[in-house]
Amino acid sequence: MTDAPLLIVGASMAGLRTAEGARRAGYAGPIEFLGAEAHAPYNRPPLSKELLQTEGHGHDEVAFPIRSALEQGVTWTLGRAAASLDISRRVVIDEAGDEHPYRALAIATGLRPKPLPVDGHALTGIHVLRTLDDAVGLRTSLRPGANVVILGSGFVGCEIAATAAKNGCAVSVVTQSAVPLERALGPELGGEVRRRHEAHGVRFFPRDGLFGLVGDPCVERVILSSGVMLECDVLVVAIGSDPNTEWLAGSGLDVSDGVLVDGGLRALTAEGAVVPDVFAVGDVARYPNPLFDGVARRVEHWNLPTETGKRAGQLIAAHLAGENCEPLAAAGFAPLPSFWSDQYDMHLLAFGMTYLADRRELVAGALDDECVVEYHRGDALVGVCGIGMRSLVQSYRSRFSVPTAAV
Ligand SMILES: Cc1cc2nc3c(=O)[nH]c(=O)nc-3n(C[C@H](O)[C@H](O)[C@H](O)COP(=O)(O)OP(=O)(O)OC[C@H]3O[C@@H](n4cnc5c(N)ncnc54)[C@H](O)[C@@H]3O)c2cc1C
């Protein structure tokens, strides 16, 4: 099927970067996007920050520009989810039953928030935050004086807490961990994040969980496992995400935790065989990173849809041009993960995989001011994070390198 397109399932950042990467590497053939959301690709970080507090902001404010290379030969099928993949026929079937043949397939379906962990889904006033529509729905509820309970203290939970507090809401954060961002940043920096939130009036309920909900038809109170009862007009569930891979069930791909790929972003079976013409990129992809160790992981940071998309686009272009991709796929892929978070006037910037650390060291500044913390596992530097001190944090980028034995 030589006239079939490069089919990209998931019309968001990773999918867009894959298309751009393929064009840049010389692929001039047809491209089709199949995306579950009705919106053209947009940027998610503002959803928990500016967009959540600025009335009237919508898709225009967060849309990614579509580069001129993608103005020709690109079909957008939006508001339509993929329902299954038939590898033997090289076709994706969407939820309406329409078939989408492909020459190469890029899976870019990302994640969705984990659902409410107790009964009560029928109540109104319960929110998650992943999409633009989620953000617009939540924004209208964050009015001054509203009792907002946030379940989860990861980046999304903390950023919503900061935005809601700035909006004049009464904010409570319920978390299973001892301090917010504990897994990502460790107890010292996490404790400092908690202190700064509390200075803005946010209340924390650590080592606690959700036991039940009261209300009809709107949530009115949440009952915590500790027995504490909190008044609640708005409950935000921010307890992590699951990969969108159900549509790949029965396809033969390893989707045990996201889509397992090799260093060339080529999808693998559970037996480790490369699946012909199928790639995965962005948050949904699980791949090894020799900068740290050989363990395949999903990493949910903003720079990785770009890194994986660029890399997959290059391989796809070579593959569709009939080149032998093995040398390209075998060349190391070792992107440096990077993330940032804005909460109040606190700007966090990090590089690496801080959560792999068994030891942390404050190397500059003071926790209650601007500072830089190094993260080590054994003798190896695995991450760095700063509050402020951007140029010092940036200077660490060159200090991460692939161990000689892995090259
Ligand atoms: C609220 C929020 C704030 C964030 N803030 C930061 C930040 O400050 N800093 C940072 O480093 N990172 C941040 N991130 C993370 C970053 O935005 C993500 O890593 C990035 O968006 C992942 O891009 P993606 O294209 O892989 O996946 P996604 O952006 O999730 O896109 C996947 C797309 O696939 C679609 N899809 C799903 N299933 C199907 C299907 N079956 N068929 C067709 N389409 C489907 C989805 O609808 C979606 O449009 C934030 C994320 C969120 C949600």
Side-chain angles (χ1 to χ4, degrees), residues 9-15 34-37 43-49 80-83 108-111 129-131 156 159 244 247 281-284 299-303 305 338-342:
V9 179
S12 188
M13 188 179 182
L34 176 63
E37 289 182 77
N43 197 20
R44 291 184 202 271
L47 303 186
S48 50
K49 308 173 188 82
R80 189 88 73 89
T109 44
L111 312 175
L129 180 56
R130 180 81 195 175
T131 67
V156 170
E159 290 180 0
N244 289 318
W247 65 283
V281 290
D283 280 8
V284 79
V299 185
E300 305 170 18
H301 298 327
W302 191 85
N303 73 318
S338 129
F339 62 86
W340 81 93
S341 180
D342 292 316

